[in-house]
Amino acid sequence: MTVADTEPTLPRWSTWLRRCIWVLAGLVLTLVLAMAAFLLYLRSVDWNSMRPAVTAKVTELTGRPMGIAGDLDVDWHWPNPSTSGWRAWIPAVTFTAHDLRLGNPVHWPSQAFTDPGEFVEAQKVQADLQLLPLLHKTIQVDEIRFTGAYGRFQWVGDAVVGGDTSASAPAEATTPPVASKGAGDAAPATVAATSSPIAPDTAPDNWHIRKAMIAPGERRWRFALKRVQLTDSTVSYEHLGRKLFAKARLSSVDQAPYRLAFALNGSLAGAAFQGEGFTGDVLDISEDTVALPIKLKATSGQLQLGLEGALQHPSQLDGIAVKLTLQGSDMQQLYPLTGLVLPRTPAFKVQGDLNGAFSPGKARWSFKNFRGTVGKSDLQGELQYVSSANRPVLSGALSSTELQLADLGALIGAGAPNKKTGKVLPNMPLGVERWRDMDADISFAATKIHRPDALPLTNVSLHAKLNEQQLRIDPLV
């Protein structure tokens, strides 16, 4: 037996394993070098040459023109900082577009609105895109960041916008005053008419993206967006049917549940307003099933409003549930903003729960559990407002513990009771100019009514009905 025969030998499987390890290491190194070379190549690509292809594809998918007047840049991130595990080895990419424009749908009557222009304009837009979901026909964008953006959200509503609806019909529009883009500018109170054509299949708003046509059996691409960040950006919203125009300066915040801070100004039915507040994620605005949190302080003339709660179906502005505080120098000042026919009163302040829907012709509002003061009188109760094809109706039950008769002077006439006749209700003319705008059915009860130069009345109740411009007050008890 020789020495060589006595030396231990390694098993064949160990030698095979070492070779596999070297082969795998070589493959990994090759992939890394190939990926690095690929990234270096991508960094050298002139992405501006791809702007026509990008804008043409977006225009095809959305049905609205897109343009990029500035540079188009692409930054690659590898390893991927937004994920972990093996997915981190799949690069992520950030697209940056300067001076971007996304237009309105074809045939949209832009010139009918107070603030005509493109749907979205932005000085700079950055989008973080994940590549792996593209294999499943999903465009997954982790975040879009807008800088110096201006968006115009427009709704035709019940307004009649005339004109030929054929695609070849020329647009002959009357151009209204253009609102300045300054955040502090007052909004115009009027909306001009137009004869711009609207195609029969055009939606009543300009922000819903139409679905691209696909062949039968073809799988549709899906778009997923997680976050939106806004810096130095402005949004305007206009509803022709409701004569509502509002413009807000936006900035992203992180104050749960709020994600956006805003300062706004605008007009509603000719009455100017301004305010500031907070709301939820900008992505929730396009959702019909999400309650959008909102907090707002606003003024209109001598009226002051504060509310905190949620908007239901925010894309339609079709509901609200908030705690409301309202105060002013005269309840008649609410008429231009709300259409409510209310009496002339001294200074007032009320707080309560406001719930309702904005649906034209069938809006229903309730103001429950409210308490407040009118002049020197306390007032509490519940009111309901229902719109209809003929006239809206205001109904409810009000009560007061200590009522000064002078505070209700304009409701039942004016001034103090008639000393010659001794009647409780003064013999004075009523202001009836707006009675044709609303019907009413209100019950009222007072524990004590104080009258100037007369003994107070106790435990008084009445029922007032306004129907087709006729006011009836059932017996004073």
Side-chain angles (χ1 to χ4, degrees), residues 80-380:
N80 189 337
S82 61
T83 187
S84 59
W86 65 268
R87 290 180 175 84
W89 296 96
I90 306 298
V93 60
T94 297
F95 291 93
T96 303
H98 298 267
D99 197 5
L100 180 143
R101 301 287 187 274
L102 184 63
N104 288 302
V106 178
H107 305 305
W108 183 254
S110 299
Q111 296 302 320
F113 293 85
T114 303
D115 188 12
E118 305 286 1
F119 172 54
V120 173
E121 305 172 23
Q123 297 175 6
K124 181 179 178 182
V125 179
Q126 293 179 293
D128 298 331
L129 176 69
Q130 295 294 332
L131 298 182
L132 191 60
L134 294 176
L135 299 176
H136 305 285
K137 279 199 168 185
T138 298
I139 302 175
Q140 179 179 318
V141 179
D142 289 344
E143 183 174 89
I144 292 183
R145 295 175 292 280
F146 291 93
T147 302
Y150 193 98
R152 297 172 178 87
F153 293 82
Q154 299 168 343
W155 186 288
V156 175
D158 298 331
V160 177
V161 184
D164 190 348
T165 58
S166 65
S168 60
E172 299 176 355
T174 301
T175 304
V178 179
S180 170
K181 292 185 181 181
D185 297 334
T190 59
V191 178
T194 182
S195 58
S196 298
I198 301 180
D201 58 347
T202 299
D205 61 75
N206 73 333
W207 63 80
H208 282 93
I209 305 295
R210 72 166 177 82
K211 297 179 179 179
M213 298 298 293
I214 61 173
E218 182 181 351
R219 184 178 177 185
R220 188 187 302 274
W221 280 84
R222 190 173 70 91
F223 180 77
L225 175 60
K226 291 184 178 180
R227 294 181 300 276
V228 173
Q229 290 290 327
L230 299 172
T231 302
D232 193 25
S233 297
T234 301
V235 168
S236 69
Y237 175 84
E238 183 164 4
H239 195 302
L240 290 185
R242 296 173 190 149
K243 298 181 180 179
L244 168 63
F245 175 84
K247 182 166 61 176
R249 195 76 169 177
L250 305 176
S251 59
S252 295
V253 297
D254 190 9
Q255 303 177 18
Y258 306 113
R259 298 298 304 274
L260 278 178
F262 61 86
L264 62 83
N265 63 87
S267 63
L268 176 60
F273 60 82
Q274 52 279 324
E276 59 184 16
F278 300 90
T279 188
D281 196 317
V282 66
L283 295 179
D284 292 342
I285 296 176
S286 63
E287 296 291 338
D288 290 333
T289 59
V290 176
L292 185 72
I294 186 170
K295 185 177 183 180
L296 171 66
K297 290 184 178 180
T299 61
S300 178
Q302 295 182 340
L303 288 173
Q304 299 180 39
L305 174 147
L307 60 84
E308 184 172 0
L311 290 175
Q312 312 293 335
H313 312 297
S315 70
Q316 308 288 336
L317 280 181
D318 194 30
I320 191 170
V322 296
K323 295 282 187 180
L324 174 67
T325 300
L326 188 63
Q327 65 182 64
S329 59
D330 186 349
M331 284 189 179
Q332 278 195 341
Q333 296 170 347
L334 292 171
Y335 179 78
L337 293 172
T338 65
L340 293 176
V341 180
L342 298 174
R344 186 182 304 277
T345 68
F348 70 94
K349 180 178 181 180
V350 292
Q351 296 176 308
D353 300 323
L354 179 67
N355 295 271
F358 297 89
S359 305
K362 54 181 180 180
R364 300 182 66 89
W365 292 86
S366 65
F367 191 32
K368 298 181 178 180
N369 305 317
F370 77 82
R371 305 182 66 86
T373 58
V374 179
K376 297 180 180 179
S377 305
D378 66 283
L379 189 66
Q380 49 272 330

